């Protein structure tokens, strides 16, 4: 763990991003740094965090606190909160982005793997938010983006059994937090992108499969993050933020025609889910 630059003389607010080492998380760091935030960088890969911190410092003079952390470990979020308190850091902008996919059907994976998945995708998000929210409420200013997915808004597909369920949890969690904090100056948004170019599909070994999908449905991380930041920082934030017209249309269709939606997703599962 290390801090870059003198933190005591810089009046810029702090943002914390989990899963900061690649993809959407990395892009959040770049855009928030460009917007004047200092960054707390959280991910497992310390080398990537150091490289990103160097990049942000060179481009924007951004101060960074690097916290290599495995959020699948119980108590990881509490350790982060303790370090922030030690450094006297109040986080104004929280991005709960860390996540991954667990390919296969439910019984294809051990319970230990499912347990670690739930820890990262659900428990760590709730725990870290619980630690950081009171300070936002106290200063009457804060932004929380929970990176969910279109998968949490449409009918479930076969395989990756807990992925859509965890993302649906984040949507409802965000909606409730938004209602609870609307008079505390804290904006909350669930960012729900569809297929986005990143390392996500390389990590869960579905890159070859995903490459067969039409290019027209793919988003890039820059547009997803820009939409997410704009959505949560509006005077009337988008509590459910869905980047891309195609995905907003898809969600609308499956919401009002659920039977058709289930049929469509079930029929197409093999195109974008790893099935044995």
């Amino acid at each position: 763990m290390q801090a870059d630059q003198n933190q005591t003389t810089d009046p810029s607010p702090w943002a914390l991003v989990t899963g900061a080492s690649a993809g959407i998380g990395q892009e959040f760091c770049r855009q928030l740094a460009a917007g004047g935030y200092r960054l707390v960088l959280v991910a497992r890969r310390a080398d990537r965090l150091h490289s990103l911190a160097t990049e942000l410092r060179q481009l924007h003079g951004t101060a960074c606190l690097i916290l290599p952390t495995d959020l699948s470990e119980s108590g990881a979020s509490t350790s982060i909160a303790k370090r922030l308190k030690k450094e006297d850091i109040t986080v104004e902008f929280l991005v709960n982005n860390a996540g991954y996919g667990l390919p296969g059907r439910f019984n294809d994976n051990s319970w230990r793997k499912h347990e670690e998945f739930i820890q990262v995708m659900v428990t760590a998000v709730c725990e870290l938010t619980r630690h950081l929210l009171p300070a936002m409420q106290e200063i009457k200013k804060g932004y929380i983006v929970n990176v969910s997915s279109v998968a949490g808004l449409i009918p479930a597909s076969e395989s990756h059994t807990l992925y859509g369920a965890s993302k649906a949890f984040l949507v409802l969690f965000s909606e409730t937090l938004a209602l609870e904090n609307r008079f505390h100056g804290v904006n909350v948004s669930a960012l729900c992108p569809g297929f986005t170019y990143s390392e996500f599909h390389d990590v869960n070994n579905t890159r070859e499969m995903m490459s067969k999908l039409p290019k027209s449905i793919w988003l890039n991380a820059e547009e997803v993050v820009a939409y997410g930041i704009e959505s949560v920082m509006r005077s009337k934030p988008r509590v459910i933020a869905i980047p891309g017209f195609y995905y907003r249309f898809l969600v609308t269709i499956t919401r009002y025609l659920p039977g058709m939606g289930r049929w469509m997703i079930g029929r197409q599962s093999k195109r974008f889910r790893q099935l044995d």
Side-chain angles (χ1 to χ4, degrees):
M1 298 181 183
Q2 103 177 28
D4 290 343
Q5 298 188 7
N6 190 320
Q7 299 172 14
T8 60
T9 59
D10 188 345
S12 304
W14 283 94
L16 185 152
V17 181
T18 67
S21 61
I24 290 174
Q26 189 176 74
E27 184 59 29
F28 260 109
C29 294
R30 289 175 174 143
Q31 293 193 27
L32 288 169
Y37 279 91
R38 291 178 282 177
L39 270 299
V40 180
L41 308 176
V42 178
R44 290 178 299 172
R45 294 175 287 188
D47 57 335
R48 293 231 181 166
L49 296 182
H50 283 283
S51 296
L52 178 59
T54 299
E55 173 193 327
L56 299 180
R57 182 172 60 248
Q58 292 174 345
L59 288 176
H60 308 292
T62 305
C64 296
L65 176 64
I66 298 170
L67 300 181
T69 306
D70 185 349
L71 291 173
S72 70
E73 296 179 356
S74 178
S77 296
T78 298
S79 296
I80 291 171
K82 288 180 178 178
R83 181 63 190 276
L84 296 179
K85 184 176 181 179
K86 180 180 178 181
E87 299 287 343
D88 194 27
I89 291 174
T90 297
V91 172
E92 180 183 288
F93 202 121
L94 170 62
V95 182
N96 287 307
N97 166 73
Y100 60 100
L102 194 59
R105 296 182 173 90
F106 191 61
N107 283 344
D108 292 339
N109 293 288
S110 68
W111 175 247
R112 179 56 184 161
K113 286 187 177 181
H114 288 310
E115 189 175 37
E116 290 178 347
F117 181 84
I118 293 169
Q119 173 68 34
V120 173
M121 305 292 281
V122 176
T123 306
V125 173
C126 295
E127 188 176 8
L128 187 57
T129 302
R130 180 62 184 82
H131 281 301
L132 303 186
L133 180 58
M136 295 182 187
Q137 294 174 332
E138 185 175 345
I139 65 174
K140 297 291 184 182
K141 187 176 184 181
Y143 307 96
I144 299 174
V145 176
N146 295 317
V147 180
S148 179
S149 169
V150 165
L153 297 170
I154 63 177
S157 62
E158 190 176 0
S159 182
H160 290 240
T161 318
L162 295 179
Y163 185 79
S166 68
K167 294 303 186 179
F169 175 90
L170 291 184
V171 171
L172 294 176
F173 178 57
S174 300
E175 287 182 316
T176 300
L177 276 184
L179 288 172
E180 291 177 354
N181 288 279
R182 63 192 186 278
F183 301 122
H184 290 286
V186 180
N187 291 358
V188 183
S189 181
L191 178 60
C192 302
F195 294 122
T196 304
Y197 289 112
S198 71
E199 294 180 5
F200 179 91
H201 300 104
D202 297 309
V203 173
N204 63 24
N205 299 314
T206 56
R207 171 60 59 196
E208 182 178 356
M209 184 184 305
M210 304 312 294
S211 297
K212 298 177 182 179
L213 295 175
K215 292 183 178 181
S216 60
I217 70 173
W218 285 89
L219 304 169
N220 61 65
E222 291 86 353
E223 64 182 314
V224 168
V225 170
Y227 188 81
I229 292 175
E230 188 270 335
S231 293
V232 78
M233 297 189 81
R234 292 161 58 102
S235 56
K236 293 184 178 180
R238 299 184 185 96
V239 178
I240 301 177
I242 309 171
F245 173 80
Y246 170 82
Y247 289 106
R248 290 193 287 274
F249 175 75
L250 177 64
V251 169
T252 300
I253 287 296
T254 56
R255 179 171 296 176
Y256 290 102
L257 297 172
M260 179 179 290
R262 282 191 292 271
W263 176 80
M264 289 172 55
I265 299 299
R267 187 168 180 267
Q268 297 296 322
S269 287
K270 289 186 178 181
R271 296 189 64 190
F272 55 88
R273 289 287 187 257
Q274 184 173 310
L275 298 171
D276 298 327

